[in-house]
Amino acid sequence: MPADTNTPLILLSGLAADGRILTPQKVRFRWLHCPAWLPPDRDESIDEYAKRLADTLDAGPCIIGGASFGGIVALHLARHVDAQAVILIGSIKSPSQLPVYARCARPFRFLIPFIPIRFLQWLTRPMTAKRFKRFAPFAYGLACQFRDSDPRIFRWSLSRILDWSSDPVVSCPIYHLHGDRDWTLPLRYTDPDRIVAGGGHVISLTHPADVNDFIRHVLYHKDVDNPHDGNASQQIR
């Protein structure tokens, strides 16, 4: 049965991002909830974090998902809520879909606590000036989100990406949308249900109509091509 506005829709933002990255989806789906990231314990696993996040939602039957790292957490969250479906936006389903650079960086995870996040945030300040917004609104938005991100959450998220090693067990359908020019999580390592032509890593902002159409199909029709069954993907033009 198609979902309606009584079915909670919960989407998680990506690494160093917040709900602003899903603003076009909030405008289209008024009942969309984008929970803020909880402060993590330093060595907390993704599954432990997802369980703690689930305790704050009290959503009942719901459709969940996320962008980038938010999609990874959503896959684990599906174990702890009554998820009817999981929507991945520029994300991946399995550690085997991590790009080569992420796998090669795993031995260096111990260096993450030494990354000077505050200094890097300070370096991005020129990109958060209002005059910069006129010339590069997309870069301005990302810079503002990185500037405002919590270093603890950034470090924890980066660590969990690098030590993510087991496939989450998900009992509901998984629907995956990905950009064909995503250099952060390259398309060639994934098997999405639909591909956004010309889409980079932040398609929720750069291609909102495509993302909203994909979500609408999941919510109301459940007829997106072969959710996670290994068949060919369809390209959105």
Side-chain angles (χ1 to χ4, degrees):
M1 179 179 295
D4 55 30
T5 55
N6 293 320
T7 302
L9 172 61
I10 302 168
L11 297 179
L12 305 177
S13 57
L15 177 66
D18 56 33
R20 286 174 290 180
I21 207 167
L22 296 163
T23 295
Q25 289 67 57
K26 289 180 179 180
V27 172
R28 173 61 181 81
F29 306 100
R30 299 289 185 176
W31 65 99
L32 168 60
H33 176 45
C34 299
W37 291 103
L38 302 175
D41 296 330
R42 180 173 175 177
D43 296 320
E44 190 173 25
S45 70
I46 296 179
D47 197 66
E48 291 169 339
Y49 183 90
K51 185 178 186 303
R52 193 156 58 88
L53 179 60
D55 292 340
T56 70
L57 297 177
D58 191 26
C62 56
I63 292 177
I64 63 175
S68 190
F69 180 67
I72 294 174
V73 176
L75 290 170
H76 289 264
L77 180 63
R79 297 183 55 194
H80 304 291
V81 299
D82 187 7
Q84 307 300 296
V86 177
I87 302 174
L88 302 182
I89 304 169
S91 188
I92 53 177
K93 305 183 185 81
S94 165
S96 64
Q97 297 182 348
L98 283 168
V100 171
Y101 73 81
R103 290 177 237 172
C104 291
R106 282 174 171 166
F108 304 100
R109 188 173 65 86
F110 72 95
L111 294 174
I112 291 176
F114 302 103
I115 297 176
I117 305 298
R118 292 296 188 191
F119 177 68
L120 295 175
Q121 290 174 320
W122 179 80
L123 289 179
T124 63
R125 288 179 64 89
M127 297 175 64
T128 63
K130 294 293 185 182
R131 61 181 177 275
F132 186 82
K133 181 179 181 180
R134 292 179 299 182
F135 301 104
F138 175 62
Y140 166 84
L142 293 182
C144 287
Q145 292 194 59
F146 177 66
R147 177 198 61 189
D148 299 338
S149 65
D150 185 331
R152 293 173 301 167
I153 297 174
F154 184 91
R155 289 191 177 94
W156 175 82
S157 302
L158 194 55
S159 294
R160 296 296 76 81
I161 290 172
L162 295 185
D163 65 17
W164 191 38
S165 59
S166 59
D167 290 6
V169 179
V170 180
S171 58
C172 62
I174 300 172
Y175 299 89
H176 182 187
L177 181 71
H178 214 89
D180 66 353
R181 296 184 182 177
D182 188 331
W183 311 131
T184 303
L185 296 173
L187 176 64
R188 65 180 178 276
Y189 297 115
T190 70
D191 59 342
D193 301 299
R194 287 195 181 183
I195 300 169
V196 178
H201 189 55
V202 194
I203 51 177
S204 59
L205 288 178
T206 61
H207 294 72
D210 292 331
V211 173
N212 290 349
D213 181 66
F214 187 78
I215 294 173
R216 181 178 60 81
H217 275 283
V218 174
L219 290 175
Y220 295 109
H221 304 293
K222 300 292 199 304
D223 63 355
V224 176
D225 309 306
N226 305 311
H228 197 33
D229 68 357
N231 290 340
S233 303
Q234 174 179 343
Q235 190 170 41
I236 297 176
R237 295 292 183 182

